[in-house]
Amino acid sequence: MLTTNCIAKVFSKNNIENVSNGDFSHLAKIVKAYTDNFNKVFTLADIFDFCFDILRKEYRNEYFYKNIIANKILMGRHSLSSSTMLSEFRVGGNKADCVIINQISTCYEIKTDFDNLNRLEGQLKSYLELFDKVYVVVSDKHLQTVSTLIPVEVGIINLTNKSTLKEIKKAEIVKRKLNISMLMHSLRIEEYKYLVKSIYGYVPQVSNTEIFSACEELLLNCNNALVRTNYKKTLLKTRDVDKIFLYSLPSSLKITGINSDLKKQHREDLINNIHSTYSKDLLCTSLY
């Protein structure tokens, strides 16, 4: 049998790129190691789903948590026509694990069983300066400790032993003032320019070295609630998910579709490759 780390690498960016390019060698190793678990003919999607099920039973890592959130919250509760999801979104000196944007912005900070809680208080402090709602997502292991660490506004979601998401404490709408400086550093240049234009109707005509400061000053002098509303609209436009691509992926790869920076042709190739059928003998020849 293969190690859980080897199984987890199936979902790595490098392996996804390889599969889009027709290199199935890592997937072939899975089939060879677990040959009795596969029919004579199968798809690569079957392999990904099989590996995700192993993660569910033996190794609920960060990828597993994020993919559950993508399936059960983004796609299970919201419409992709009015919502988007960001992964590893920079917030000050931290990166928010998952952020879902629609009419409100909700941050989901993940703490797996393999994580410690040393940085949690600092992370939550920064997230409360940027998002409308903040949740910590944990298993039973950290549940009690997290409940003693979080600010009053922060909610808790339990990833249960059955891999469902159970709201333990409801997050409150954050009423703190939006941190404009932090927001500016979280956005790309085209995003904060778009944000300023959406509010003021123009972008400052200054040099590239001055545009950040000019936009920041305008936002600092703007109604805070207006900035909060329009930055969500900005991210909905600039960070929208590829809906066709996402719907074409198996459930085990939804967060991969959200995170993917594959070009259009490579996305099409990935979809074609994972939904085509293969035999054990044909696939395993790629090992030799």
Side-chain angles (χ1 to χ4, degrees):
M1 294 298 171
L2 301 176
T3 65
T4 51
N5 189 51
C6 186
I7 297 292
K9 286 182 179 177
V10 166
F11 302 101
S12 69
K13 179 181 178 180
N14 184 58
N15 186 59
I16 297 299
E17 289 177 351
N18 287 343
V19 173
S20 72
N21 289 321
D23 177 359
F24 310 148
S25 56
H26 194 73
L27 298 183
K29 291 179 183 178
I30 306 297
V31 174
K32 185 176 181 181
Y34 298 90
T35 186
D36 292 342
N37 295 92
F38 294 94
N39 298 322
K40 290 183 178 180
V41 177
F42 49 84
T43 67
L44 301 186
D46 293 329
I47 305 175
F48 282 110
D49 287 346
F50 172 76
C51 290
F52 193 74
D53 194 52
I54 291 180
L55 295 187
R56 180 182 64 81
K57 296 173 182 175
E58 303 177 18
Y59 189 59
R60 301 201 305 180
N61 61 359
E62 188 174 283
Y63 178 91
F64 182 84
Y65 275 70
K66 287 182 177 180
N67 200 60
I68 291 291
I69 291 171
N71 276 283
K72 296 188 179 296
I73 299 182
L74 176 67
M75 303 188 72
R77 301 179 189 174
H78 302 298
S79 168
L80 292 184
S81 63
S82 58
S83 302
T84 194
M85 181 170 169
L86 319 176
S87 178
E88 300 298 310
F89 185 68
R90 184 173 62 169
V91 182
N94 302 298
K95 288 186 177 179
D97 289 319
C98 294
V99 179
I100 294 179
I101 305 284
N102 38 55
Q103 289 185 333
I104 64 172
S105 58
T106 308
C107 174
Y108 299 89
E109 177 60 26
I110 294 165
K111 293 299 178 186
T112 74
D113 288 357
F114 312 107
D115 296 325
N116 62 55
L117 304 177
N118 295 344
R119 298 178 57 238
L120 181 61
E121 291 181 88
Q123 290 171 316
L124 296 179
K125 182 179 179 181
S126 64
Y127 302 154
L128 288 168
E129 295 189 74
L130 208 59
F131 304 114
D132 298 326
K133 287 185 177 182
V134 178
Y135 279 97
V136 182
V137 186
V138 292
S139 72
D140 292 344
K141 177 181 177 179
H142 290 313
L143 194 55
Q144 186 169 355
T145 304
V146 164
S147 67
T148 67
L149 294 176
I150 60 173
V152 64
E153 303 103 319
V154 174
I156 302 174
I157 293 175
N158 176 217
L159 180 66
T160 70
N161 292 331
K162 294 182 178 181
S163 298
T164 60
L165 296 175
K166 180 181 179 181
E167 186 177 70
I168 303 299
K169 178 179 181 290
K170 188 176 182 63
E172 298 178 10
I173 292 289
V174 176
K175 297 179 180 179
R176 306 184 189 190
K177 189 174 182 181
L178 184 68
N179 187 323
I180 299 298
S181 178
M182 185 179 289
L183 174 63
M184 286 289 297
H185 285 91
S186 297
L187 300 178
R188 301 163 182 163
I189 182 171
E190 67 272 15
E191 290 173 335
Y192 59 71
K193 287 168 68 175
Y194 182 91
L195 173 57
V196 166
K197 187 173 182 179
S198 69
I199 295 173
Y200 286 95
Y202 69 91
V203 177
Q205 297 302 302
V206 297
S207 67
N208 289 337
T209 58
E210 298 174 310
I211 188 64
F212 182 94
S213 296
C215 288
E216 183 177 29
E217 183 177 356
L218 286 172
L219 295 178
L220 284 168
N221 291 321
C222 183
N223 176 274
N224 207 255
L226 185 60
V227 178
R228 188 182 284 272
T229 297
N230 280 275
Y231 101 71
K232 288 176 285 191
K233 292 180 179 178
T234 297
L235 290 175
L236 280 170
K237 179 177 177 62
T238 60
R239 309 279 184 109
D240 63 323
V241 297
D242 183 337
K243 300 174 186 61
I244 295 175
F245 180 53
L246 198 57
Y247 281 127
S248 299
L249 292 168
S251 61
S252 55
L253 289 176
K254 296 305 185 186
I255 191 62
T256 296
I258 292 166
N259 290 339
S260 177
D261 57 2
L262 292 174
K263 301 298 183 185
K264 184 175 184 293
Q265 185 58 56
H266 284 156
R267 292 187 179 204
E268 293 175 359
D269 292 340
L270 177 66
I271 295 302
N272 289 333
N273 289 340
I274 65 175
H275 289 299
S276 297
T277 56
Y278 303 87
S279 68
K280 293 179 185 178
D281 290 342
L282 179 62
L283 189 67
C284 289
T285 56
S286 63
L287 287 172
Y288 305 104

PDB file of all heavy atoms in Angstrom, residues 185-209:
ATOM      1  N   HIS A 185      -3.541  45.997   0.150  1.00  0.00           N
ATOM      2  CA  HIS A 185      -2.450  45.037  -0.018  1.00  0.00           C
ATOM      3  C   HIS A 185      -2.952  43.640  -0.370  1.00  0.00           C
ATOM      4  O   HIS A 185      -2.168  42.796  -0.812  1.00  0.00           O
ATOM      5  CB  HIS A 185      -1.590  44.992   1.248  1.00  0.00           C
ATOM      6  CG  HIS A 185      -0.683  46.171   1.406  1.00  0.00           C
ATOM      7  ND1 HIS A 185      -1.062  47.308   2.089  1.00  0.00           N
ATOM      8  CD2 HIS A 185       0.578  46.403   0.950  1.00  0.00           C
ATOM      9  CE1 HIS A 185      -0.067  48.190   2.062  1.00  0.00           C
ATOM     10  NE2 HIS A 185       0.933  47.672   1.379  1.00  0.00           N
ATOM     11  N   SER A 186      -4.244  43.406  -0.182  1.00  0.00           N
ATOM     12  CA  SER A 186      -4.826  42.118  -0.556  1.00  0.00           C
ATOM     13  C   SER A 186      -5.213  42.071  -2.024  1.00  0.00           C
ATOM     14  O   SER A 186      -5.335  40.988  -2.603  1.00  0.00           O
ATOM     15  CB  SER A 186      -6.075  41.825   0.298  1.00  0.00           C
ATOM     16  OG  SER A 186      -5.745  41.708   1.655  1.00  0.00           O
ATOM     17  N   LEU A 187      -5.426  43.242  -2.615  1.00  0.00           N
ATOM     18  CA  LEU A 187      -5.909  43.322  -3.997  1.00  0.00           C
ATOM     19  C   LEU A 187      -4.766  43.473  -4.989  1.00  0.00           C
ATOM     20  O   LEU A 187      -3.701  43.999  -4.675  1.00  0.00           O
ATOM     21  CB  LEU A 187      -6.867  44.507  -4.142  1.00  0.00           C
ATOM     22  CG  LEU A 187      -8.122  44.499  -3.267  1.00  0.00           C
ATOM     23  CD1 LEU A 187      -8.933  45.765  -3.495  1.00  0.00           C
ATOM     24  CD2 LEU A 187      -8.964  43.258  -3.533  1.00  0.00           C
ATOM     25  N   ARG A 188      -5.026  43.018  -6.210  1.00  0.00           N
ATOM     26  CA  ARG A 188      -4.104  43.241  -7.320  1.00  0.00           C
ATOM     27  C   ARG A 188      -4.311  44.658  -7.841  1.00  0.00           C
ATOM     28  O   ARG A 188      -5.346  45.276  -7.591  1.00  0.00           O
ATOM     29  CB  ARG A 188      -4.380  42.223  -8.434  1.00  0.00           C
ATOM     30  CG  ARG A 188      -4.253  40.775  -8.001  1.00  0.00           C
ATOM     31  CD  ARG A 188      -4.927  39.853  -8.990  1.00  0.00           C
ATOM     32  NE  ARG A 188      -4.846  38.454  -8.565  1.00  0.00           N
ATOM     33  CZ  ARG A 188      -5.614  37.487  -9.057  1.00  0.00           C
ATOM     34  NH1 ARG A 188      -6.548  37.761  -9.972  1.00  0.00           N
ATOM     35  NH2 ARG A 188      -5.474  36.245  -8.617  1.00  0.00           N
ATOM     36  N   ILE A 189      -3.336  45.156  -8.581  1.00  0.00           N
ATOM     37  CA  ILE A 189      -3.410  46.542  -9.042  1.00  0.00           C
ATOM     38  C   ILE A 189      -4.660  46.803  -9.874  1.00  0.00           C
ATOM     39  O   ILE A 189      -5.328  47.830  -9.699  1.00  0.00           O
ATOM     40  CB  ILE A 189      -2.134  46.950  -9.832  1.00  0.00           C
ATOM     41  CG1 ILE A 189      -2.233  48.414 -10.255  1.00  0.00           C
ATOM     42  CG2 ILE A 189      -1.882  46.024 -11.018  1.00  0.00           C
ATOM     43  CD1 ILE A 189      -0.940  48.963 -10.837  1.00  0.00           C
ATOM     44  N   GLU A 190      -5.019  45.849 -10.755  1.00  0.00           N
ATOM     45  CA  GLU A 190      -6.205  46.074 -11.581  1.00  0.00           C
ATOM     46  C   GLU A 190      -7.465  46.049 -10.729  1.00  0.00           C
ATOM     47  O   GLU A 190      -8.488  46.650 -11.093  1.00  0.00           O
ATOM     48  CB  GLU A 190      -6.298  45.043 -12.708  1.00  0.00           C
ATOM     49  CG  GLU A 190      -6.547  43.606 -12.293  1.00  0.00           C
ATOM     50  CD  GLU A 190      -5.283  42.822 -11.985  1.00  0.00           C
ATOM     51  OE1 GLU A 190      -4.213  43.455 -11.816  1.00  0.00           O
ATOM     52  OE2 GLU A 190      -5.373  41.586 -11.916  1.00  0.00           O
ATOM     53  N   GLU A 191      -7.406  45.365  -9.575  1.00  0.00           N
ATOM     54  CA  GLU A 191      -8.575  45.271  -8.704  1.00  0.00           C
ATOM     55  C   GLU A 191      -8.792  46.554  -7.913  1.00  0.00           C
ATOM     56  O   GLU A 191      -9.926  47.037  -7.824  1.00  0.00           O
ATOM     57  CB  GLU A 191      -8.424  44.078  -7.766  1.00  0.00           C
ATOM     58  CG  GLU A 191      -8.543  42.746  -8.498  1.00  0.00           C
ATOM     59  CD  GLU A 191      -8.242  41.543  -7.633  1.00  0.00           C
ATOM     60  OE1 GLU A 191      -7.501  41.690  -6.623  1.00  0.00           O
ATOM     61  OE2 GLU A 191      -8.729  40.437  -7.957  1.00  0.00           O
ATOM     62  N   TYR A 192      -7.746  47.117  -7.337  1.00  0.00           N
ATOM     63  CA  TYR A 192      -7.997  48.350  -6.581  1.00  0.00           C
ATOM     64  C   TYR A 192      -8.267  49.529  -7.505  1.00  0.00           C
ATOM     65  O   TYR A 192      -8.969  50.468  -7.136  1.00  0.00           O
ATOM     66  CB  TYR A 192      -6.921  48.635  -5.535  1.00  0.00           C
ATOM     67  CG  TYR A 192      -5.493  48.803  -5.963  1.00  0.00           C
ATOM     68  CD1 TYR A 192      -5.063  49.921  -6.664  1.00  0.00           C
ATOM     69  CD2 TYR A 192      -4.523  47.855  -5.596  1.00  0.00           C
ATOM     70  CE1 TYR A 192      -3.734  50.099  -7.014  1.00  0.00           C
ATOM     71  CE2 TYR A 192      -3.190  48.028  -5.940  1.00  0.00           C
ATOM     72  CZ  TYR A 192      -2.796  49.148  -6.652  1.00  0.00           C
ATOM     73  OH  TYR A 192      -1.477  49.321  -7.002  1.00  0.00           O
ATOM     74  N   LYS A 193      -7.751  49.484  -8.722  1.00  0.00           N
ATOM     75  CA  LYS A 193      -8.116  50.522  -9.698  1.00  0.00           C
ATOM     76  C   LYS A 193      -9.593  50.388 -10.088  1.00  0.00           C
ATOM     77  O   LYS A 193     -10.317  51.383 -10.184  1.00  0.00           O
ATOM     78  CB  LYS A 193      -7.216  50.420 -10.933  1.00  0.00           C
ATOM     79  CG  LYS A 193      -5.790  50.906 -10.686  1.00  0.00           C
ATOM     80  CD  LYS A 193      -4.843  50.527 -11.814  1.00  0.00           C
ATOM     81  CE  LYS A 193      -5.155  51.251 -13.095  1.00  0.00           C
ATOM     82  NZ  LYS A 193      -4.139  50.947 -14.152  1.00  0.00           N
ATOM     83  N   TYR A 194     -10.031  49.155 -10.293  1.00  0.00           N
ATOM     84  CA  TYR A 194     -11.437  48.900 -10.626  1.00  0.00           C
ATOM     85  C   TYR A 194     -12.338  49.320  -9.467  1.00  0.00           C
ATOM     86  O   TYR A 194     -13.408  49.919  -9.673  1.00  0.00           O
ATOM     87  CB  TYR A 194     -11.639  47.417 -10.950  1.00  0.00           C
ATOM     88  CG  TYR A 194     -13.047  47.060 -11.345  1.00  0.00           C
ATOM     89  CD1 TYR A 194     -13.448  47.075 -12.677  1.00  0.00           C
ATOM     90  CD2 TYR A 194     -14.002  46.699 -10.385  1.00  0.00           C
ATOM     91  CE1 TYR A 194     -14.753  46.746 -13.048  1.00  0.00           C
ATOM     92  CE2 TYR A 194     -15.299  46.376 -10.741  1.00  0.00           C
ATOM     93  CZ  TYR A 194     -15.664  46.402 -12.076  1.00  0.00           C
ATOM     94  OH  TYR A 194     -16.955  46.083 -12.432  1.00  0.00           O
ATOM     95  N   LEU A 195     -11.900  49.026  -8.248  1.00  0.00           N
ATOM     96  CA  LEU A 195     -12.677  49.391  -7.059  1.00  0.00           C
ATOM     97  C   LEU A 195     -12.844  50.900  -6.959  1.00  0.00           C
ATOM     98  O   LEU A 195     -13.953  51.408  -6.729  1.00  0.00           O
ATOM     99  CB  LEU A 195     -11.982  48.838  -5.804  1.00  0.00           C
ATOM    100  CG  LEU A 195     -12.544  49.261  -4.445  1.00  0.00           C
ATOM    101  CD1 LEU A 195     -14.016  48.893  -4.322  1.00  0.00           C
ATOM    102  CD2 LEU A 195     -11.731  48.618  -3.319  1.00  0.00           C
ATOM    103  N   VAL A 196     -11.763  51.626  -7.142  1.00  0.00           N
ATOM    104  CA  VAL A 196     -11.824  53.093  -7.075  1.00  0.00           C
ATOM    105  C   VAL A 196     -12.741  53.641  -8.167  1.00  0.00           C
ATOM    106  O   VAL A 196     -13.573  54.519  -7.922  1.00  0.00           O
ATOM    107  CB  VAL A 196     -10.413  53.693  -7.190  1.00  0.00           C
ATOM    108  CG1 VAL A 196     -10.480  55.198  -7.458  1.00  0.00           C
ATOM    109  CG2 VAL A 196      -9.617  53.424  -5.909  1.00  0.00           C
ATOM    110  N   LYS A 197     -12.610  53.091  -9.365  1.00  0.00           N
ATOM    111  CA  LYS A 197     -13.440  53.575 -10.473  1.00  0.00           C
ATOM    112  C   LYS A 197     -14.918  53.280 -10.235  1.00  0.00           C
ATOM    113  O   LYS A 197     -15.796  54.092 -10.582  1.00  0.00           O
ATOM    114  CB  LYS A 197     -12.994  52.949 -11.795  1.00  0.00           C
ATOM    115  CG  LYS A 197     -13.707  53.534 -13.005  1.00  0.00           C
ATOM    116  CD  LYS A 197     -13.133  53.020 -14.313  1.00  0.00           C
ATOM    117  CE  LYS A 197     -13.830  53.671 -15.496  1.00  0.00           C
ATOM    118  NZ  LYS A 197     -13.282  53.201 -16.797  1.00  0.00           N
ATOM    119  N   SER A 198     -15.213  52.131  -9.620  1.00  0.00           N
ATOM    120  CA  SER A 198     -16.609  51.776  -9.357  1.00  0.00           C
ATOM    121  C   SER A 198     -17.256  52.733  -8.367  1.00  0.00           C
ATOM    122  O   SER A 198     -18.474  52.916  -8.372  1.00  0.00           O
ATOM    123  CB  SER A 198     -16.698  50.337  -8.838  1.00  0.00           C
ATOM    124  OG  SER A 198     -16.154  50.223  -7.533  1.00  0.00           O
ATOM    125  N   ILE A 199     -16.447  53.355  -7.523  1.00  0.00           N
ATOM    126  CA  ILE A 199     -16.972  54.290  -6.518  1.00  0.00           C
ATOM    127  C   ILE A 199     -16.938  55.729  -7.009  1.00  0.00           C
ATOM    128  O   ILE A 199     -17.920  56.467  -6.893  1.00  0.00           O
ATOM    129  CB  ILE A 199     -16.172  54.159  -5.205  1.00  0.00           C
ATOM    130  CG1 ILE A 199     -16.374  52.770  -4.598  1.00  0.00           C
ATOM    131  CG2 ILE A 199     -16.588  55.243  -4.209  1.00  0.00           C
ATOM    132  CD1 ILE A 199     -15.493  52.477  -3.394  1.00  0.00           C
ATOM    133  N   TYR A 200     -15.814  56.129  -7.587  1.00  0.00           N
ATOM    134  CA  TYR A 200     -15.614  57.536  -7.957  1.00  0.00           C
ATOM    135  C   TYR A 200     -15.872  57.825  -9.437  1.00  0.00           C
ATOM    136  O   TYR A 200     -16.011  58.985  -9.819  1.00  0.00           O
ATOM    137  CB  TYR A 200     -14.178  57.964  -7.609  1.00  0.00           C
ATOM    138  CG  TYR A 200     -13.949  58.162  -6.135  1.00  0.00           C
ATOM    139  CD1 TYR A 200     -13.430  57.133  -5.352  1.00  0.00           C
ATOM    140  CD2 TYR A 200     -14.245  59.373  -5.510  1.00  0.00           C
ATOM    141  CE1 TYR A 200     -13.211  57.299  -3.995  1.00  0.00           C
ATOM    142  CE2 TYR A 200     -14.032  59.556  -4.157  1.00  0.00           C
ATOM    143  CZ  TYR A 200     -13.513  58.512  -3.395  1.00  0.00           C
ATOM    144  OH  TYR A 200     -13.296  58.693  -2.049  1.00  0.00           O
ATOM    145  N   GLY A 201     -15.904  56.780 -10.249  1.00  0.00           N
ATOM    146  CA  GLY A 201     -16.133  56.982 -11.678  1.00  0.00           C
ATOM    147  C   GLY A 201     -14.875  57.267 -12.470  1.00  0.00           C
ATOM    148  O   GLY A 201     -14.942  57.492 -13.681  1.00  0.00           O
ATOM    149  N   TYR A 202     -13.729  57.267 -11.812  1.00  0.00           N
ATOM    150  CA  TYR A 202     -12.463  57.497 -12.511  1.00  0.00           C
ATOM    151  C   TYR A 202     -11.326  56.856 -11.722  1.00  0.00           C
ATOM    152  O   TYR A 202     -11.461  56.502 -10.548  1.00  0.00           O
ATOM    153  CB  TYR A 202     -12.199  59.002 -12.652  1.00  0.00           C
ATOM    154  CG  TYR A 202     -11.899  59.701 -11.335  1.00  0.00           C
ATOM    155  CD1 TYR A 202     -10.595  59.833 -10.857  1.00  0.00           C
ATOM    156  CD2 TYR A 202     -12.941  60.244 -10.564  1.00  0.00           C
ATOM    157  CE1 TYR A 202     -10.341  60.466  -9.639  1.00  0.00           C
ATOM    158  CE2 TYR A 202     -12.694  60.869  -9.355  1.00  0.00           C
ATOM    159  CZ  TYR A 202     -11.386  60.980  -8.901  1.00  0.00           C
ATOM    160  OH  TYR A 202     -11.140  61.592  -7.693  1.00  0.00           O
ATOM    161  N   VAL A 203     -10.191  56.706 -12.404  1.00  0.00           N
ATOM    162  CA  VAL A 203      -8.962  56.224 -11.778  1.00  0.00           C
ATOM    163  C   VAL A 203      -7.966  57.375 -11.790  1.00  0.00           C
ATOM    164  O   VAL A 203      -7.832  58.081 -12.800  1.00  0.00           O
ATOM    165  CB  VAL A 203      -8.375  55.024 -12.552  1.00  0.00           C
ATOM    166  CG1 VAL A 203      -7.043  54.570 -11.948  1.00  0.00           C
ATOM    167  CG2 VAL A 203      -9.372  53.858 -12.564  1.00  0.00           C
ATOM    168  N   PRO A 204      -7.292  57.630 -10.690  1.00  0.00           N
ATOM    169  CA  PRO A 204      -6.324  58.743 -10.657  1.00  0.00           C
ATOM    170  C   PRO A 204      -5.300  58.650 -11.786  1.00  0.00           C
ATOM    171  O   PRO A 204      -4.747  57.578 -12.044  1.00  0.00           O
ATOM    172  CB  PRO A 204      -5.643  58.570  -9.294  1.00  0.00           C
ATOM    173  CG  PRO A 204      -6.635  57.821  -8.467  1.00  0.00           C
ATOM    174  CD  PRO A 204      -7.351  56.909  -9.405  1.00  0.00           C
ATOM    175  N   GLN A 205      -5.074  59.759 -12.441  1.00  0.00           N
ATOM    176  CA  GLN A 205      -4.109  59.811 -13.538  1.00  0.00           C
ATOM    177  C   GLN A 205      -2.731  60.180 -12.983  1.00  0.00           C
ATOM    178  O   GLN A 205      -2.303  61.327 -13.023  1.00  0.00           O
ATOM    179  CB  GLN A 205      -4.569  60.822 -14.595  1.00  0.00           C
ATOM    180  CG  GLN A 205      -5.893  60.457 -15.253  1.00  0.00           C
ATOM    181  CD  GLN A 205      -5.846  59.091 -15.933  1.00  0.00           C
ATOM    182  OE1 GLN A 205      -5.019  58.866 -16.821  1.00  0.00           O
ATOM    183  NE2 GLN A 205      -6.741  58.195 -15.527  1.00  0.00           N
ATOM    184  N   VAL A 206      -2.089  59.166 -12.407  1.00  0.00           N
ATOM    185  CA  VAL A 206      -0.773  59.356 -11.815  1.00  0.00           C
ATOM    186  C   VAL A 206       0.153  58.260 -12.335  1.00  0.00           C
ATOM    187  O   VAL A 206      -0.274  57.334 -13.018  1.00  0.00           O
ATOM    188  CB  VAL A 206      -0.832  59.306 -10.268  1.00  0.00           C
ATOM    189  CG1 VAL A 206      -1.678  60.449  -9.724  1.00  0.00           C
ATOM    190  CG2 VAL A 206      -1.391  57.961  -9.792  1.00  0.00           C
ATOM    191  N   SER A 207       1.429  58.369 -11.999  1.00  0.00           N
ATOM    192  CA  SER A 207       2.398  57.380 -12.464  1.00  0.00           C
ATOM    193  C   SER A 207       2.173  56.036 -11.764  1.00  0.00           C
ATOM    194  O   SER A 207       1.496  55.956 -10.734  1.00  0.00           O
ATOM    195  CB  SER A 207       3.819  57.861 -12.177  1.00  0.00           C
ATOM    196  OG  SER A 207       4.058  57.905 -10.777  1.00  0.00           O
ATOM    197  N   ASN A 208       2.780  54.989 -12.321  1.00  0.00           N
ATOM    198  CA  ASN A 208       2.644  53.653 -11.749  1.00  0.00           C
ATOM    199  C   ASN A 208       3.169  53.588 -10.315  1.00  0.00           C
ATOM    200  O   ASN A 208       2.680  52.810  -9.501  1.00  0.00           O
ATOM    201  CB  ASN A 208       3.377  52.633 -12.619  1.00  0.00           C
ATOM    202  CG  ASN A 208       2.653  52.395 -13.943  1.00  0.00           C
ATOM    203  OD1 ASN A 208       1.447  52.631 -14.050  1.00  0.00           O
ATOM    204  ND2 ASN A 208       3.381  51.930 -14.946  1.00  0.00           N
ATOM    205  N   THR A 209       4.165  54.389 -10.016  1.00  0.00           N
ATOM    206  CA  THR A 209       4.733  54.385  -8.668  1.00  0.00           C
ATOM    207  C   THR A 209       3.834  55.102  -7.664  1.00  0.00           C
ATOM    208  O   THR A 209       3.987  54.920  -6.461  1.00  0.00           O
ATOM    209  CB  THR A 209       6.121  55.050  -8.656  1.00  0.00           C
ATOM    210  OG1 THR A 209       6.000  56.394  -9.163  1.00  0.00           O
ATOM    211  CG2 THR A 209       7.107  54.265  -9.519  1.00  0.00           C
TER     212      THR A 209
END
